[in-house]
Each structure stands twice: as C-alpha cells, then as structure tokens.
Amino acid sequence: MQTETLTVEDTSAETRKRRVLSGIQPSGDLHLGNYLGAIKRWVERQYEKENYFCIVDLHAITLPHDPEALRQRTRGVAALYIASGLDPDHCPIFIQSHVTAHAEACWLAGCVTPLGWLERMTQYKDKAGRSDSSERISTGLLAYPVLMACDILLYSADEVPVGEDQKQHVELSRDIAQRFNHMFGETFVLPEPMIPEIGARVMGFDDPSRKMSKSYEHIRGHLVKMVDEPKEIERTIKRAVTDSGNEIVFSEDPAKAGVNNLLGIYQVITGKTPERVEADFANARGYGDLKSAVAEVVIEELRPIRERYNEIMDDVSELDRILADGADRAGAVANAKLREMKERMGFVLPGGGS
Ligand code: TYM
C-alpha cells in the first residue's frame, strides 16, 4: 500500500475505509449484465466503503456517437444508479466530464504509458477489429484505458468493482500507477479489480457464447434492459437460446452455456447457493419452467428500479442538483491528486508552488 508524502490528504489504508471507484459508459441502454456485474454489488456494499461512482461520458465518445443520445443517456445512467439504491448523500455520483481533472490527468499519464501496452488491450483489439479501416478508429479509442486509469488513480481507489471484461483495464491502471510511482516517486495507490464470483459475465440470451453487451443491443433477443417492461423481459427470456437436452444443472460445457447463464442470473438475484438453485429445478418439466422462473425473478428485481427511474427522470432539475453536488465532492479529491501529479512531474503550478 502506498502512502502520500506531498499532500496533507491521508490515503493510508489503515486510517480510512477502503475506497471504491467505478463507472459505466452512457453509450447505450444499461442491461442486466451491467446491473448484475456491477451496480447491484455497488449498492450492497456501499456503506462499508468510501465510494465514488461516475458516468463516464468522455469514454462514450471514443466510438462514433449521437450528441442528443449522449445527453439523454448520461442523465439516464445517473438516474439508474440512484433508482438501483445508491445513496447520493453517501456516495458522490458525478459525470466524468464535470471533473475536468480526469481529462487533464489523462494527458499526463498518457505521456508515461507505452504505446505497446495500449495496443495489447483486448477491448481495443475487438473494437478496432470491427472497423474496416484504421481511418475510422479514433486516437481516443486507443487512449481509452489511460483515461480509465486516471478515473481510478485520482481517487486513490483501493477497489474497482467491475465485471470480468474490465479486469484487464484495471490491471493496466495498476501498471500505469506503478510506472508513475517508479519514475516520479510514490503518488498513486495500486488499485485492485473486484470481480464478483457470480454475475461477472452475463451472456447474451440470443447467443450464450457471447457476453451481453450494449454493442449488440440492436440484435433482437440479445439483452434485457434495466428499464424494460415486464412483458418485454418475459418475451426475451422465454426465447433464450438453450440446448436440446433437459438437464437443469450448472455446467462448464459450452453446449450448456444457455442453461448455465439462466441459472447464474437466477442465483445472483435470489442469493441462493448453487445446490439450492439446482434443487429448485429438480422437478421442473423442462427448460420452459426454468425460463419462467428466471423471467419472474428478473421482472421483480427490476420493477422497483424502473418505477423509481421514471420518477427521477420526471424531475431532471433535482437530478442535475445531485450531479453538481457529486462533482463538487469528487472534484475536491481529484484536483488534489492532479496537483500532486503535476508537482511530481515538475510543472510550475499556478500561483507558485514547487
Ligand atoms: P461498461 O460501461 O462497458 O460496463 C459497465 C460495467 O458493467 C460490467 N458489465 C458486465 N458485467 C457482467 N456481464 C456482462 N455481460 C457485462 N457487461 C458489462 C462491466 O464490467 C462494468 O463493470 N471502461 C468501463 C467504464 C469505466 C470504468 C472506469 C469502470 C471507465 N472508467 C473506472 C471502472 C472504473 C466500461 O466500458 O464499462
């Protein structure tokens, strides 16, 4: 664990609660994977930790985007955080671009991050690989993990609760922190990815070999959105791809990935042990019963969230007030760390300083 020497802020783990930072891109409608892999656990553990949750709008422009949709979705994601149970009095909830230290730190950290580290990132290779021309891949897409590292490092976060797909990015954040500390002296805490044991990789209902993702929301039957109506949820889950067998058990067999996915979703929501989950389906008459049971728990889990979300979106001015307050509280932490980074790197600070 690193301790600070330059600023008065005390980041030693012994004297404070574990610090958590996480975020979601407003690049599409949030789905069951985002909820089970990330938000649900943020909510459950919030009072044990000191938390910062952001809506990472700067990340959402790394692929071509529609400005009006970005504006809508940014508030929509914030509303879903609150509707899911995050308490904004306890956890600052803020829009990444409101705390300008993130973008500025990204430049500083980018100058100490080797290009090869970024070119090796799986998500970059996937997303860049989908484009037929390098002319259409933005520099921002490559630099994306540096910005994510700064989101985390500016808050001295010990823990970063994310789904499995973001593990590599959090590990890169550690590498960047370590390199910076080595070059300029101890500045950053090394963050750890916190991946849930279940729910870390919710698969698409249309194709259980592929992770549920906002990028495939245009494919019918792929995902359940957090704000879908019960009828829509039922329709999607009832059509979920399974296999031609009838055994309702957890399994690593790729052929049983559809059933495994449904059981995993049921398990995270009900909080039951794997044995209890399998016992619940011991007398099922086939996959139809499994799908009905999963649809029911998903509908009941999301119902209050959707209702609260609608109320919050009816009062955007109150939401904007919460976000402004979150940005003030987050900014105080991030700006102090940015100043420290600059001091370490040898910048002359405005108004003097070292
Ligand atoms: P994003 O917006 O793609 O996803 C948000 C969160 O949802 C998790 N997730 C899933 N979990 C389980 N199953 C799935 N199918 C699934 N799909 C998504 C993700 O792992 C993530 O936890 N780069 C990040 C956003 C980010 C960030 C940060 C996260 C930017 N800065 C700092 C943490 C800390 C991203 O694109 O997540």
Side-chain angles (χ1 to χ4, degrees):
M1 187 53 53
Q2 317 302 324
T3 50
E4 305 209 2
T5 51
L6 278 181
T7 63
V8 283
E9 186 205 10
D10 183 357
T11 58
S12 68
E14 295 75 29
T15 55
R16 60 168 173 80
K17 279 189 179 174
R18 300 272 289 170
R19 213 178 253 184
V20 167
L21 178 130
S22 202
I24 297 186
Q25 288 192 61
S27 53
D29 291 318
L30 299 200
H31 52 70
L32 195 60
N34 299 130
Y35 177 68
L36 298 180
I39 303 175
K40 187 171 165 64
R41 280 172 323 122
W42 304 351
V43 172
E44 284 166 359
R45 311 241 166 111
Q46 63 183 317
Y47 297 110
E48 296 161 26
K49 320 270 176 177
E50 180 185 334
N51 318 271
Y52 296 86
F53 294 115
C54 51
I55 299 101
V56 291
D57 53 348
L58 297 170
H59 280 105
I61 61 167
T62 52
L63 291 174
H65 77 285
D66 168 23
E68 195 41 48
L70 177 64
R71 220 179 327 269
Q72 289 273 337
R73 284 176 177 152
T74 300
R75 286 200 179 95
V77 173
L80 278 174
Y81 285 2
I82 299 166
S84 300
L86 284 182
D87 170 359
D89 289 334
H90 180 64
C91 323
I93 295 176
F94 64 100
I95 296 176
Q96 183 191 35
S97 66
H98 289 185
V99 180
T100 56
H102 292 233
E104 194 176 346
C106 179
W107 174 258
L108 306 182
C111 291
V112 303
T113 305
L115 183 59
W117 289 7
L118 301 178
E119 286 172 336
R120 276 199 292 277
M121 291 291 108
T122 313
Q123 185 172 300
Y124 169 72
K125 288 195 284 190
D126 280 358
K127 291 193 173 168
R130 270 184 238 151
S131 179
D132 51 7
S133 156
S134 62
E135 291 293 312
R136 280 196 276 275
I137 301 164
S138 73
T139 310
L141 187 64
L142 182 69
Y144 174 119
V146 182
L147 179 60
M148 177 160 163
C150 292
D151 298 340
I152 297 166
L153 301 179
L154 283 175
Y155 296 86
S156 305
D158 307 284
E159 301 180 6
V160 186
V162 284
E164 174 69 38
D165 62 328
Q166 294 300 319
K167 187 167 178 235
Q168 193 185 38
H169 286 157
V170 182
E171 284 166 354
L172 183 82
S173 305
R174 269 180 91 86
D175 293 342
I176 294 175
Q178 240 161 347
R179 188 171 165 96
F180 191 102
N181 288 352
H182 180 71
M183 291 168 79
F184 301 110
E186 294 302 321
T187 309
F188 294 124
V189 166
L190 305 187
E192 266 180 77
M194 305 299 279
I195 316 289
E197 276 182 22
I198 40 167
R201 200 171 163 78
V202 176
M203 309 308 281
F205 289 117
D206 62 323
D207 174 359
S209 67
R210 193 159 64 173
K211 185 195 69 159
M212 185 177 289
S213 164
K214 297 180 209 118
S215 318
Y216 304 123
E217 70 182 350
H218 57 282
I219 300 176
R220 212 156 148 248
H222 173 72
L223 52 75
V224 161
K225 292 180 185 169
M226 286 181 71
V227 296
D228 272 347
E229 295 288 334
K231 280 248 156 313
E232 186 65 34
I233 298 176
E234 194 177 3
R235 205 172 17 242
T236 304
I237 296 182
K238 288 241 159 122
R239 277 211 312 250
V241 169
T242 46
D243 56 84
S244 55
N246 57 8
E247 249 203 319
I248 305 181
V249 288
F250 286 99
S251 162
E252 293 295 316
D253 179 356
K256 304 273 303 170
V259 168
N260 201 55
N261 191 38
L262 291 168
L263 287 173
I265 292 168
Y266 182 88
Q267 188 189 356
V268 202
I269 296 179
T270 59
K272 293 182 179 177
T273 61
E275 296 73 30
R276 279 292 314 277
V277 169
E278 289 180 354
D280 280 358
F281 298 105
N283 299 320
R285 286 180 310 262
Y287 294 157
D289 284 1
L290 169 66
K291 289 176 181 179
S292 299
V294 174
E296 191 182 319
V297 294
V298 171
I299 289 168
E300 292 316 317
E301 179 83 6
L302 296 181
R303 186 192 302 280
I305 298 177
R306 187 185 65 253
E307 288 169 1
R308 182 88 185 93
Y309 167 84
N310 289 331
E311 286 164 19
I312 296 168
M313 290 303 276
D314 280 345
D315 187 0
V316 167
S317 57
E318 171 59 9
L319 180 61
D320 287 349
R321 191 201 59 73
I322 291 173
L323 291 169
D325 173 62
D328 279 350
R329 286 149 71 202
V333 178
N335 290 330
K337 187 53 85 175
L338 175 65
R339 189 182 162 90
E340 189 189 342
M341 278 178 88
K342 287 170 131 179
E343 279 181 320
R344 294 280 194 197
M345 292 180 93
F347 287 92
V348 174
L349 299 178
S354 43

